[in-house]
Amino acid sequence: MNVSPAKENILKKIRKALTSSTPLPFPESEGNSSVYHPSQQDLGLEFAERFTRLQGKFVFCQDYKELVARLNQIIGINKWDKVYCKEEGLRKTLADNQFNYYSHNDLASCDTAITTCEWLIARTGSIVMSAAQESGRTVSVYAPVHICIAHTSQLVYDVKDALANAREKYSGNLPSLITFATGPSRTADIEKTLVVGIHGPKEVYVFLVDQ
């Protein structure tokens, strides 16, 4: 095959470039150090501030007994009759503490759905969930109201910390979906008017149990 002099000249330059690596123009931009520095306040407090700023509703509980009491109160006030919970372990823990509201088995027509999560990100006020959870991909998205129950031990500061935990927890075999839910679903696509609950739940609660 005939190669023109101009093309041969380009290929020679490419081969030469491949033999020696080019130093990074801004080496300080690469590395494991975070751009964001953790604040001095408690991670739970920082998460609560960020989450409520995004229209999320936050409830701190000392234990599961208090959690169930607060949960019963909120469900009663809002008159949610159709409470959905798919996770057997969570159902048993709540039932052991005298919570018996969930009796609705149809996610599509429920009033609210209760799930756990993987982690909570303090810096952004985000809930981290994955397809590996028993609730799967759909529960936290389909229900008009999402109630997430988490522990203080699941708090991390930044997104990179959550991803590092995921790699460690799943030993490199990551779930097919890892999702970051930051407050209720919202959009301002139409005339820059903020509308809540368009692509997911219109209300999101986080009950944080001290454990």
Side-chain angles (χ1 to χ4, degrees), residues 31-44:
N32 297 320
S33 59
S34 176
V35 175
Y36 300 97
H37 300 288
S39 66
Q40 300 303 310
Q41 68 178 344
D42 177 76
L43 287 181

Side-chain angles (χ1 to χ4, degrees), residues 8-64:
E8 179 61 30
N9 188 38
I10 292 171
L11 292 173
K12 283 181 180 179
K13 289 182 179 179
I14 293 173
R15 285 193 289 268
K16 183 178 179 181
L18 291 173
T19 59
S20 58
S21 60
T22 303
L24 290 171
F26 304 102
E28 295 81 5
S29 66
E30 297 294 320
N32 297 320
S33 59
S34 176
V35 175
Y36 300 97
H37 300 288
S39 66
Q40 300 303 310
Q41 68 178 344
D42 177 76
L43 287 181
L45 179 59
E46 180 154 357
F47 174 84
E49 289 178 352
R50 300 282 184 176
F51 183 68
T52 53
R53 199 176 297 168
L54 294 163
Q55 301 183 356
K57 298 181 180 180
F58 178 84
V59 181
F60 178 79
C61 305
Q62 292 287 345
D63 51 32
Y64 268 90

Side-chain angles (χ1 to χ4, degrees), residues 60-64 67 149-153 207-211:
F60 178 79
C61 305
Q62 292 287 345
D63 51 32
Y64 268 90
L67 163 69
I149 296 175
H151 301 147
T152 50
S153 59
F207 285 77
L208 184 63
V209 183
D210 189 13
Q211 121 176 6

Side-chain angles (χ1 to χ4, degrees), residues 45-117:
L45 179 59
E46 180 154 357
F47 174 84
E49 289 178 352
R50 300 282 184 176
F51 183 68
T52 53
R53 199 176 297 168
L54 294 163
Q55 301 183 356
K57 298 181 180 180
F58 178 84
V59 181
F60 178 79
C61 305
Q62 292 287 345
D63 51 32
Y64 268 90
K65 184 177 180 181
E66 182 182 356
L67 163 69
V68 168
R70 301 291 296 275
L71 199 54
N72 285 337
Q73 181 184 36
I74 288 173
I75 290 174
I77 290 173
N78 289 280
K79 298 180 180 179
W80 293 329
D81 298 322
K82 300 174 181 178
V83 180
Y84 181 90
C85 181
K86 186 177 181 180
E87 302 179 33
E88 288 298 329
L90 179 57
R91 288 169 66 103
K92 184 179 185 306
T93 300
L94 295 178
D96 289 345
N97 288 276
Q98 309 304 313
F99 179 80
N100 297 300
Y101 267 103
Y102 43 76
S103 58
H104 194 67
N105 296 317
D106 181 21
L107 176 60
S109 60
C110 74
D111 296 319
T112 181
I114 304 175
T115 75
T116 57
C117 68

Side-chain angles (χ1 to χ4, degrees), residues 155-189:
L155 284 162
V156 298
Y157 175 66
D158 206 354
V159 173
K160 71 179 185 64
D161 303 314
L163 293 177
N165 285 356
R167 284 190 288 269
E168 181 180 350
K169 178 177 180 179
Y170 294 104
S171 302
N173 187 24
L174 291 173
S176 59
L177 171 75
I178 296 177
T179 183
F180 298 80
T182 308
S185 167
R186 57 199 181 280
T187 182
D189 289 345

